[in-house]
C-alpha cells in the first residue's frame, strides 16, 4: 500500500488558504510577507520532491499550480512524476500539456484504489477541500506541516469540523526555527 502524505503551510489556527499569494483572500501571501524567511525551514519541501512518486491535487489547486509549476526550477521533480487530480467536474481537455502524465480521479474510492497500487509515496499539496475529505475518509497516512506563528482567523482550514472519532497522531519529526516557524511531521496511528 502506498503512503499518502498531506503537506501544508498552516497558520497556528489551522488556516491553509492562499499561503503563496493567491488572489481574492484578505491575508493572501501570509507565509512570506509576515514571517522572516529562514531557508533551512523549507528543507522538507525539497525532500518531499525527492521522496515522492506521485502528486495528488484537488481541482482548485491543480488549476492554480498547473499554469505555474511546470516552468519553475524549484518544482522540476514534480514535472516528471505522475499527477492525479480529484475532481467531478474537470475534463481531460482542461489538463495542461506541459506537466507530464495527469490522471483525473472522480472519487475518494478512486484515491483508495490508487493507494493500493505499487509505487512510492503520494504527496498532496494545497487542496484544502480534498485534504478534509481524505482525512475524514481515513486515507491520509502522514502530515508534513510547516506551522507559521500567525493567527489568520478566517480562511480555509486543513482539518474538517466533522464530528468523528479521535484520530491519533505520532510525532516522528519536529524542529523549531528562529523565526517561530515549526516543522511537525506526524504519522497517523491506525
Amino acid at each position: 500500500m502506498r503512503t499518502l502524505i498531506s503537506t501544508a503551510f498552516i497558520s497556528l489556527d489551522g488556516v491553509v488558504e492562499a499561503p503563496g499569494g493567491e488572489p481574492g483572500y484578505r491575508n493572501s501571501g501570509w507565509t512570506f510577507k509576515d514571517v522572516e524567511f529562514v531557508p533551512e525551514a523549507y528543507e522538507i519541501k525539497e525532500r518531499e520532491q525527492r521522496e515522492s512518486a506521485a502528486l495528488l491535487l484537488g481541482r482548485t489547486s491543480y488549476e492554480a499550480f498547473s499554469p505555474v509549476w511546470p516552468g519553475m526550477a524549484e518544482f522540476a521533480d514534480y514535472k516528471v512524476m505522475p499527477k492525479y487530480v480529484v475532481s467531478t467536474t474537470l475534463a481531460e481537455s482542461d489538463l495542461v500539456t506541459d506537466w507530464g502524465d495527469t490522471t483525473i480521479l472522480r472519487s475518494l474510492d478512486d484515491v483508495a484504489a490508487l493507494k493500493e497500487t505499487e509505487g512510492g509515496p503520494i504527496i498532496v499539496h494545497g487542496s484544502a477541500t480534498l485534504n478534509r475529505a481524505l482525512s475524514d475518509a481515513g486515507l491520509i497516512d502522514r502530515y508534513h506541516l510547516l506551522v507559521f506563528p500567525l493567527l489568520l482567523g478566517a480562511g480555509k482550514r486543513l482539518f474538517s469540523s466533522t464530528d468523528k472519532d479521535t484520530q491519533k497522531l505520532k510525532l516522528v519529526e519536529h524542529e523549531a526555527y528562529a523565526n517561530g516557524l515549526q516543522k511537525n511531521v506526524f504519522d497517523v496511528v491506525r
Side-chain angles (χ1 to χ4, degrees):
M1 180 185 267
R2 299 173 81 168
T3 302
L4 186 61
I5 302 167
S6 170
T7 182
F9 292 154
I10 186 168
S11 68
L12 191 58
D13 58 348
V15 175
V16 293
E17 186 172 14
E22 298 80 356
Y25 176 60
R26 185 170 68 90
N27 291 316
S28 185
W30 52 269
T31 55
F32 299 106
K33 73 178 183 184
D34 294 322
V35 178
E36 176 190 356
F37 181 75
V38 177
E40 59 270 21
Y42 298 91
E43 172 277 332
I44 194 167
K45 295 297 163 193
E46 295 171 21
R47 187 170 12 129
E48 288 169 350
Q49 284 189 74
R50 287 192 315 269
E51 295 176 356
S52 298
L55 180 61
L56 180 69
L57 299 166
R59 180 195 50 81
T60 302
S61 291
Y62 176 80
E63 289 175 342
F65 297 158
S66 64
V68 181
W69 280 20
M72 295 178 71
E74 56 267 38
F75 299 115
D77 291 336
Y78 287 137
K79 186 168 185 169
V80 297
M81 72 176 60
K83 280 158 280 310
Y84 299 89
V85 183
V86 181
S87 173
T88 58
T89 59
L90 198 66
E92 292 289 332
S93 61
D94 296 326
L95 300 176
V96 298
T97 58
D98 63 342
W99 206 19
D101 292 338
T102 304
T103 302
I104 300 171
L105 304 178
R106 297 296 181 192
S107 68
L108 293 180
D109 288 339
D110 291 343
V111 176
L114 174 64
K115 284 187 63 174
E116 295 294 330
T117 63
E118 293 293 321
I122 304 163
I123 193 100
V124 183
H125 278 278
S127 308
T129 302
L130 176 60
N131 263 291
R132 290 190 298 272
L134 292 168
S135 177
D136 287 349
L139 293 172
I140 295 177
D141 302 297
R142 175 174 277 193
Y143 291 95
H144 289 184
L145 304 177
L146 283 179
V147 183
F148 286 73
L150 302 169
L151 300 174
L152 298 175
K156 291 181 183 176
R157 300 186 183 276
L158 183 63
F159 302 105
S160 78
S161 59
T162 302
D163 186 11
K164 60 183 176 184
D165 292 338
T166 300
Q167 186 174 52
K168 294 182 182 179
L169 305 174
K170 178 182 179 186
L171 184 65
V172 295
E173 183 181 343
H174 64 91
E175 191 163 348
Y177 302 94
N179 63 355
L181 198 64
Q182 296 176 29
K183 172 179 62 180
N184 293 304
V185 176
F186 294 99
D187 280 344
V188 175
V189 177
R190 305 223 192 272

